Amino acid sequence: MEFQQRTVFCGTLRKFDVGSEVTLNGWVQKRRDLGGVIFVDLRDRTGIVQTVFNPEINAAAHEIGDKVRTEYVISVKGKVVERDPETINPNMLTGEIEIQVEEIEIINQAKTPPFFIEDDVDVDEQVRLKYRYLDLRRPQMFKTMQLRHKVTKMFRDFLDGHEFLEIETPMLTKSTPEGARDYLVPSRVHPGEFFALPQSPQLFKQLLMVAGYERYFQIVRCFRDEDLRADRQPEFTQVDIETSFLNMEDLLTMMEEMMAKIVKELKGIEIETPFQRLTYADAMDRYGSDKPDLRFGMELVDISDIAQTCGFQVFNGTVNRGGQVRGINVKGCAHYSRKDVDDLMKFAGKYGAKGLAWMAFKDDEIKGPIAKFFTEQEIATIKDRLQVENNDLLLFVADKAKVVADSLGALRLKFGKELGLIDESKFAFAWVVDFPLVEWDEEAKRYVALHHPFTRPRPEDLHLFDSEPGQIRAQAYDMVLNGYEIGGGSMRIYKRDIQEKMFKALGFSQEEANEKFGFLLEAFEYGTPPHGGIAFGLDRIIMILAGASSLRETIAFPKTASAKDLMTNAPDAVDAKQLEELSIRISIPPNQKS
RNA sequence: GGAGCUGUGGUGAAGUUGGAGUUCACGCUGGACUGUCACUCCGGAGGUCGCGGGUUCGAGUCCCGUCAGCUCCGCCA
């Protein structure tokens, strides 16, 4: 059975269409039956228009209109007519007109949906995810998917305009050490062997540089089998970029230009370039984070020197053991109750802080149990350094650097959000640079690459390989936006001797390195250009541009926090026969049955 | 692996000191209604209180366990 095809979209009709004969296809948003006349709001992806079924116009159509229900798929033919002035609906873009229906065809019936197809629908996300195809009918979701399409296209257009080639790399690839846990795919042809889904096309893009492709990009799905967060999905999309014969400055400049252009075109906001740059050390010291939200201040202030000489044992003891004491000024919160502060302590405790010292300044009075350990002079210095005014609350953490940064950094963000210090309309871009090349892993008892094993060290730090590898700074950079890491990359090692030093620092023998990255190392022997690149997290960028707080809002079919798809119920058990073909036997410890 | 919050007709919620599956709104359904757009009015249907166990004469409510969703820590660039 053929149906009457649309001549125009619902949401596009306006007053100047009055008089024209149109056919519309779409879903029934709402039916209002007034006995004689029936109104049906018809929706497609462009919007909603009111159609009118009047028995005096067409009795047959009116009769069918009576049977129509929510979410039925229909085709209506009729005339666009102007509404009487008193019946104009100013809340609808199409509110000045309506469709006088002459023919209607029910293309498909529909069950009543479990929730209303409308924005700001108050329904549990579990239900939305199970019926994602209905959720996606909501105008807001159309908007987000449209935004995603646009941004993706802008990336493509910009990179195309800068001589980049989009090249696909394999999804079925080799598991490599370092980095996240791999998603594995068993090979039927090679029993007992596995492909890994890419965590990123890292090695392939470097090989494309060896191959002389100069400028590569790819908008590509990546997979990481790690636990989820609001801003972390097990499969996500990267805008993956690699260049040859381009130094770091030129690459960063180009990437700034790209992001500024996208924000400008989408939001009409002029982004200042070059972006602010912070060293990793600075970011950690001042914001307690390697992805600081620069939309507000409340920086972490070091008072270790004062703490060391003060009478408070927790403070001077921590500093004497090599730790530090830092504080933040929570403006106007001197009124916090004992319980408020207790809650803050609990919060800081999640990040390893063993305590939270506080001082409140209210009308020339200093409150807080630690105040008595400081001399007048010390208090004055603290007030000066933290720019204390009346009614301010100071919070201090004394611990090793990581704990101080993590806990105060988290508190800073919490206050930023709760005290409304963040200007939501702002786009605060920054580069974080000079990351350490390697980091000591207490568990593995060896250094591990902070970025990855092919990251180029800064030339002036090369001599530290033999003495203090932890002090070497990498030519690595993260692009940060509003407290999210939206991109990261590095210049890569292209000299064999440096690569060997790197592997040595990571505790890989030549044999191990060959076994794991042999193909890459071999390729590097055939004329490797200086190269480097970056990868952007497309989903996160969309999330920020859409003003969403979860990646799930930006992905058409996302997974839950336990990495499940509630709509398809994947992952799921498979047939014994399939397993047999793959030479796989399932062995689940009895306490892990799900 | 750990912590917190949540789970009650299709949806969202309320449910007191432990006393009958009780309530509200929306939706659904039958009827009435010719200018509604949150249509209105009258009637009706709809439940494994996430699941399992325990305490109790009696559990939506208390206890233990468990599952699911969300957020966070660990993990992850």
Side-chain angles (χ1 to χ4, degrees):
Chain A
M1 253 292 263
E2 275 303 313
F3 63 95
Q4 280 285 316
Q5 261 183 280
R6 71 159 62 93
T7 57
V8 65
F9 284 94
C10 300
T12 62
L13 291 167
R14 294 292 182 277
K15 209 169 172 178
F16 53 71
D17 294 300
V18 167
S20 60
E21 194 76 23
V22 296
T23 303
L24 299 169
N25 297 158
W27 286 261
V28 173
Q29 177 70 27
K30 182 84 185 172
R31 188 182 70 111
R32 288 179 298 278
D33 182 354
L34 272 65
V37 68
I38 299 171
F39 298 96
V40 171
D41 292 338
L42 191 61
R43 184 192 72 239
D44 61 27
R45 78 176 215 199
T46 63
I48 294 174
V49 70
Q50 173 166 282
T51 66
V52 190
F53 295 76
N54 193 324
E56 288 159 18
I57 303 289
N58 190 314
H62 180 265
E63 209 168 292
I64 298 173
D66 190 54
K67 296 197 183 76
V68 154
R69 293 293 180 273
T70 305
E71 296 308 310
Y72 275 28
V73 183
I74 61 174
S75 174
V76 297
K77 190 176 172 186
K79 194 183 284 174
V80 181
V81 297
E82 196 171 347
R83 295 201 199 179
D84 290 335
E86 65 271 20
T87 65
I88 285 173
N89 185 343
N91 301 319
M92 284 173 87
L93 289 170
T94 60
E96 289 187 293
I97 53 103
E98 61 193 13
I99 312 300
Q100 208 167 63
V101 177
E102 286 144 17
E103 287 176 38
I104 171 174
E105 183 186 347
I106 294 177
I107 299 174
N108 231 330
Q109 302 187 328
K111 282 165 71 170
T112 304
F115 53 87
F116 313 126
I117 311 301
E118 62 186 25
D119 285 344
D120 305 313
V121 67
D122 189 12
V123 58
D124 196 279
E125 195 174 352
Q126 218 166 145
V127 181
R128 288 179 55 202
L129 289 176
K130 181 173 178 193
Y131 299 95
R132 187 60 158 180
Y133 42 87
L134 298 180
D135 191 39
L136 287 166
R137 283 183 189 172
R138 294 165 45 235
Q140 181 60 53
M141 294 306 285
F142 275 113
K143 227 174 123 189
T144 307
M145 292 304 134
Q146 249 158 12
L147 174 74
R148 188 173 176 123
H149 164 79
K150 273 192 204 160
V151 172
T152 306
K153 185 166 183 304
M154 285 177 189
F155 274 117
R156 278 212 168 88
D157 290 347
F158 181 93
L159 292 165
D160 176 68
H162 286 72
E163 311 299 331
F164 283 81
L165 294 182
E166 183 165 15
I167 301 171
E168 289 173 275
T169 54
M171 287 284 118
L172 296 175
T173 179
K174 187 180 164 74
S175 178
T176 52
E178 309 280 296
R181 193 178 295 114
D182 286 320
Y183 272 101
L184 296 177
V185 180
S187 163
R188 172 182 58 82
V189 183
H190 302 281
E193 296 184 355
F194 295 82
F195 294 105
L197 300 178
Q199 295 177 25
S200 82
Q202 185 59 38
L203 303 183
F204 291 102
K205 70 174 174 178
Q206 290 191 244
L207 290 166
L208 287 169
M209 294 305 104
V210 175
Y213 280 75
E214 298 268 345
R215 291 185 179 191
Y216 141 94
F217 86 99
Q218 188 180 187
I219 295 178
V220 61
R221 198 67 58 81
C222 301
F223 306 85
R224 291 180 188 159
D225 188 4
E226 297 291 348
D227 286 342
L228 288 79
R229 288 288 186 282
D231 65 343
R232 263 164 43 191
Q233 281 272 312
E235 55 177 309
F236 60 100
T237 304
Q238 279 190 351
V239 181
D240 193 45
I241 291 168
E242 194 78 6
T243 63
S244 296
F245 301 115
L246 201 61
N247 66 31
M248 179 170 146
E249 288 305 319
D250 291 342
L251 177 66
L252 297 197
T253 301
M254 193 191 290
M255 296 299 105
E256 287 174 354
E257 193 195 322
M258 178 170 71
M259 292 311 302
K261 192 172 177 194
I262 288 174
V263 173
K264 167 81 180 157
E265 281 180 26
L266 233 42
K267 300 277 174 184
I269 297 172
E270 207 71 55
I271 302 294
E272 206 179 306
T273 56
F275 293 173
Q276 177 180 356
R277 278 197 206 180
L278 287 161
T279 66
Y280 173 81
D282 253 3
M284 295 306 287
D285 282 352
R286 293 168 55 193
Y287 301 99
S289 167
D290 61 355
K291 45 179 164 62
D293 191 335
L294 299 172
R295 288 173 298 177
F296 69 107
M298 203 190 279
E299 294 190 18
L300 282 50
V301 177
D302 195 352
I303 60 153
S304 299
D305 53 333
I306 304 165
Q308 188 167 24
T309 56
C310 80
F312 185 34
Q313 269 190 10
V314 174
F315 275 19
N316 62 47
T318 301
V319 177
N320 286 331
R321 281 192 301 274
Q324 50 170 243
V325 182
R326 282 175 196 275
I328 52 173
N329 182 350
V330 191
K331 291 259 159 218
C333 288
H335 60 275
Y336 271 29
S337 68
R338 184 62 204 251
K339 186 185 179 306
D340 291 333
V341 177
D342 274 356
D343 288 346
L344 293 174
M345 278 183 197
K346 229 191 244 169
F347 180 83
K350 286 197 302 189
Y351 302 87
K354 290 181 282 293
L356 189 66
W358 61 279
M359 251 187 242
F361 295 82
K362 201 164 187 187
D363 306 326
D364 295 325
E365 206 187 324
I366 306 171
K367 287 199 240 170
I370 64 162
K372 60 175 179 281
F373 294 110
F374 293 89
T375 65
E376 231 168 86
Q377 179 55 43
E378 284 167 342
I379 294 278
T381 314
I382 289 173
K383 283 179 76 169
D384 182 54
R385 235 181 253 181
L386 282 133
Q387 297 170 24
V388 172
E389 296 170 301
N390 192 25
N391 290 322
D392 286 357
L393 171 71
L394 301 186
L395 299 175
F396 299 97
V397 174
D399 217 304
K400 46 187 190 199
K402 185 178 157 44
V403 172
V404 172
D406 287 352
S407 53
L408 280 181
L411 280 167
R412 174 180 175 270
L413 273 184
K414 181 183 164 73
F415 288 123
K417 282 173 197 150
E418 288 176 7
L419 301 177
L421 306 176
I422 296 173
D423 178 354
E424 297 287 347
S425 69
K426 233 173 168 179
F427 289 87
F429 283 96
W431 289 108
V432 177
V433 297
D434 287 349
F435 280 84
L437 184 71
V438 295
E439 196 178 36
W440 183 255
D441 185 331
E442 203 47 59
E443 232 172 272
K445 297 282 177 219
R446 68 174 182 91
Y447 284 101
V448 294
L450 202 73
H451 188 57
H452 59 61
F454 309 103
T455 303
R456 197 191 307 168
R458 282 177 53 149
E460 63 268 39
D461 290 352
L462 283 175
H463 65 280
L464 293 166
F465 263 122
D466 302 319
S467 48
E468 291 179 280
Q471 293 298 311
I472 303 173
R473 289 165 298 170
Q475 295 190 51
Y477 32 81
D478 278 357
M479 191 188 280
V480 169
L481 171 56
N482 294 355
Y484 290 97
E485 179 208 324
I486 58 164
S490 64
M491 293 290 124
R492 327 295 183 192
I493 300 171
Y494 58 98
K495 290 279 200 188
R496 190 190 173 123
D497 57 328
I498 298 175
Q499 187 66 63
E500 279 173 4
K501 280 185 181 173
M502 180 68 174
F503 282 145
K504 203 176 144 205
L506 297 177
F508 291 3
S509 67
Q510 196 57 50
E511 294 73 49
E512 280 174 304
N514 273 331
E515 188 194 322
K516 285 158 180 164
F517 305 107
F519 61 101
L520 184 72
L521 297 178
E522 190 182 1
F524 279 176
E525 316 234 339
Y526 287 93
T528 303
H531 62 288
I534 190 168
F536 290 94
L538 180 69
D539 315 89
R540 277 187 194 164
I541 292 170
I542 310 290
M543 175 175 91
I544 297 166
L545 289 171
S549 53
S550 161
L551 236 44
R552 292 184 302 277
E553 298 302 319
T554 74
I555 296 173
F557 300 101
K559 291 178 179 57
T560 66
S562 67
K564 201 159 177 72
D565 177 346
L566 294 180
M567 188 184 68
T568 64
N569 200 37
D572 210 345
V574 295
D575 287 347
K577 186 162 178 298
Q578 287 176 288
L579 291 174
E580 199 180 313
E581 277 183 332
L582 295 167
S583 313
I584 286 179
R585 195 175 304 142
I586 304 293
S587 149
I588 304 169
N591 58 338
Q592 275 188 30
K593 283 250 169 73
S594 65

